[in-house]
Amino acid sequence: MPSVHHLHAADHDELARSLGSLLGRRALLRAVGVGALGGGALAGGAGAASAAPGKPGKGPGKGPGKGPGKGRAGILQPGTGRTPGRYVPAKADEVLWGRLPNRDSTPIARVRSGSVVTLDTISHEGLLEDQGQDPRAYFADQGVPRRQVLDDAIEVAARTPHDGPGPHVVTGPVAVRGARPGDVLKIEVLRLQLRVPYGVISNRHGKGALPGEYPEQFVGDPGAEPYFNQGGNISVFTRVDGERARLPGPVPVGFPLAPFMGMMGVARDTSALVDSVPPTDAGGNIDINDLQVGSTLYLPVQVAGAMFFSGDPHMAQGDGEVALTAMEGSLRPTFRLSVVEKGTRGAPSPAFDGPFAETQRHWVPIGLSDPDGPENGGNETSLDVAMKAAVRQAMAFLTEDVGLAGPVAYAYLSAAADFQCSQVVNRTTGIHALIRKSDL
């Protein structure tokens, strides 16, 4: 049965202790009242209360009611299973395919700040043109019975215009009342449910970390032939076995599931078409695999209502995402969406300018090689630029929020922080830092 990942009450307590220590120090340094960073996650709320115990990143919960609806072999078809808070299905006439919301988009739902929202999200793998744009036929070829293919995926493939340059199916936008430009939208990940017990990992021509080498070097190799899709690209179908993914082939290979949403974002203040591929200062396809259950992503609001969206659901991903995709598989995420008003202390200060995140154990400054994306000319693809951006954001956080002297902050980052490659495949590359909360 597909897994459910959610935030355990004990982890709330651990997060509260570490945040309380840091925030107390900040209050002492600033001699002002400070709103609790990540405080919404500590309060429990509808989404957290409805989630059964089970530590994030350690596998699904085991007790009754942990799995998806039982009507179709554990498949979370639209409207089945648990949907905490406001439920937003992925309807064929509402989702976007290949593009993101902009300032002219019409919200498909409106919620108050602090509301819990559950979205159905759909993986694009199995729907794309090089796979036949017919998920029933594509997954049937992999031995998946019709009852385990999502109805909304079938409808999207048949009816939704693929009118954007990216591959992603995007659920949203959801307007958050009271959000204004200059504010921050705080997105807490409360729950992630697998909708299906399988995923797909793809490598397409001209893409990935080694374009021109792979999949070209697989052409003509009899051992690689089963993995080519009808469009001449590689698509490796991967099954879920309990808490692990199982790759095909004669050599047993598996890895733990670690679901997260590759795409969480707010609308950019533009009337231009926004490509779903490159991440920007409004979030989007940032592909940071640390943003699992219990994490929080902070994004600067650019348009009224913030216009939150999500998509690109991942069941697991390595740092770098080198082939091109993660283990792509449809998920049902539950978020809490809260507005942090401009001029308040409810979010890390760098979050008012660009994406910033936190997990239960780490602060996560985020660096992008081109936060403007292709809209303002070109699209910078450089891990050097992304690395410098991540270090600058980490320095701003440690000096402005934590209160470290600049030389001490720089020394700390060099001696103790980890800088990881989020992904190298989305044109705009990403580096994020992991700063241990227990160190502060």
Side-chain angles (χ1 to χ4, degrees), residues 108-119:
I108 61 174
R110 298 180 186 273
V111 299
R112 296 178 179 176
S113 176
S115 293
V116 171
V117 179
T118 295
L119 310 182

Side-chain angles (χ1 to χ4, degrees), residues 3-248:
S3 304
V4 182
H5 293 236
H6 37 67
L7 187 59
H8 193 280
D11 295 315
H12 285 300
D13 296 338
E14 178 184 345
L15 180 55
R17 285 192 295 271
S18 90
L19 287 174
S21 174
L22 174 59
L23 292 168
R25 187 174 304 177
R26 286 177 60 192
L28 181 63
L29 289 165
R30 297 178 180 276
V32 294
V34 180
L37 299 182
L42 309 179
S50 65
K55 290 185 178 180
K58 301 295 184 183
K62 298 293 186 183
K66 308 301 187 298
K70 300 179 181 299
R72 293 207 184 175
I75 305 303
L76 276 178
Q77 294 287 1
T80 66
R82 302 185 67 183
T83 56
R86 176 69 179 273
Y87 173 53
V88 181
K91 296 181 179 179
D93 57 352
E94 292 181 343
V95 300
L96 306 175
W97 195 353
R99 59 187 175 91
L100 302 179
N102 62 16
R103 66 181 173 217
D104 302 321
S105 299
T106 301
I108 61 174
R110 298 180 186 273
V111 299
R112 296 178 179 176
S113 176
S115 293
V116 171
V117 179
T118 295
L119 310 182
D120 275 345
T121 64
I122 300 171
S123 172
H124 53 275
E125 293 291 340
L127 283 68
L128 291 172
E129 292 83 353
D130 67 350
Q131 297 165 331
Q133 202 169 337
D134 182 353
R136 286 171 298 192
Y138 178 79
F139 289 118
D141 287 344
Q142 311 302 324
V144 177
R146 166 62 185 87
R147 68 181 182 276
Q148 291 191 359
V149 181
L150 294 174
D151 295 340
D152 46 2
I154 294 170
E155 285 294 302
V156 166
R159 296 178 45 221
T160 302
H162 188 176
D163 54 4
H168 310 99
V169 178
V170 180
T171 305
V174 175
V176 183
R177 293 187 178 95
R180 297 178 177 86
D183 295 340
V184 161
L185 185 67
K186 180 169 70 173
I187 304 151
E188 299 166 79
V189 184
L190 302 180
R191 182 179 174 97
L192 291 163
Q193 301 178 76
L194 275 62
R195 299 187 65 198
V196 292
Y198 53 82
V200 179
I201 309 164
S202 287
N203 167 221
R204 294 181 165 89
H205 287 275
K207 303 182 185 300
L210 298 173
E213 296 183 48
Y214 297 108
E216 285 81 355
Q217 291 189 29
F218 299 136
V219 176
D221 178 356
E225 187 62 30
Y227 306 109
F228 278 97
N229 61 37
Q230 68 182 53
N233 295 306
I234 293 289
S235 294
V236 179
F237 179 81
T238 306
R239 293 191 178 276
V240 171
D241 180 10
E243 299 178 18
R244 294 179 64 81
R246 299 291 181 186
L247 289 165

Side-chain angles (χ1 to χ4, degrees), residues 112-400:
R112 296 178 179 176
S113 176
S115 293
V116 171
V117 179
T118 295
L119 310 182
D120 275 345
T121 64
I122 300 171
S123 172
H124 53 275
E125 293 291 340
L127 283 68
L128 291 172
E129 292 83 353
D130 67 350
Q131 297 165 331
Q133 202 169 337
D134 182 353
R136 286 171 298 192
Y138 178 79
F139 289 118
D141 287 344
Q142 311 302 324
V144 177
R146 166 62 185 87
R147 68 181 182 276
Q148 291 191 359
V149 181
L150 294 174
D151 295 340
D152 46 2
I154 294 170
E155 285 294 302
V156 166
R159 296 178 45 221
T160 302
H162 188 176
D163 54 4
H168 310 99
V169 178
V170 180
T171 305
V174 175
V176 183
R177 293 187 178 95
R180 297 178 177 86
D183 295 340
V184 161
L185 185 67
K186 180 169 70 173
I187 304 151
E188 299 166 79
V189 184
L190 302 180
R191 182 179 174 97
L192 291 163
Q193 301 178 76
L194 275 62
R195 299 187 65 198
V196 292
Y198 53 82
V200 179
I201 309 164
S202 287
N203 167 221
R204 294 181 165 89
H205 287 275
K207 303 182 185 300
L210 298 173
E213 296 183 48
Y214 297 108
E216 285 81 355
Q217 291 189 29
F218 299 136
V219 176
D221 178 356
E225 187 62 30
Y227 306 109
F228 278 97
N229 61 37
Q230 68 182 53
N233 295 306
I234 293 289
S235 294
V236 179
F237 179 81
T238 306
R239 293 191 178 276
V240 171
D241 180 10
E243 299 178 18
R244 294 179 64 81
R246 299 291 181 186
L247 289 165
V251 179
V253 179
F255 50 87
L257 297 179
F260 72 100
M261 297 306 301
M263 178 181 293
M264 295 178 281
V266 295
R268 300 200 77 212
D269 187 15
T270 178
S271 293
L273 184 147
V274 182
D275 188 343
S276 71
V277 173
T280 70
D281 51 11
N285 191 27
I286 57 177
D287 282 337
I288 295 177
N289 60 14
D290 298 279
L291 300 185
Q292 299 173 31
V293 169
S295 67
T296 300
L297 177 64
Y298 301 91
L299 296 174
V301 174
Q302 298 195 17
V303 303
M307 305 291 274
F308 172 75
F309 60 86
S310 189
D312 193 27
H314 293 165
M315 293 181 177
Q317 178 193 297
D319 290 327
E321 199 183 22
V322 296
L324 174 63
T325 83
M327 181 180 172
E328 314 282 328
S330 298
L331 301 177
R332 177 176 287 170
T334 297
F335 307 105
R336 182 182 287 109
L337 304 178
S338 304
V339 177
V340 179
E341 294 183 359
K342 183 178 181 180
T344 65
R345 302 283 184 189
S349 58
F352 289 89
D353 298 313
F356 194 100
E358 64 172 301
T359 69
Q360 295 172 67
R361 296 175 177 83
H362 295 96
W363 299 105
V364 187
I366 298 168
L368 299 174
S369 64
D370 190 351
D372 289 335
E375 181 183 336
N376 293 325
N379 197 172
E380 179 75 13
T381 299
S382 168
L383 284 173
D384 287 342
V385 173
M387 180 69 181
K388 290 177 180 179
V391 174
R392 291 186 185 108
Q393 196 186 58
M395 284 292 292
F397 172 70
L398 290 176
T399 57
E400 296 173 17

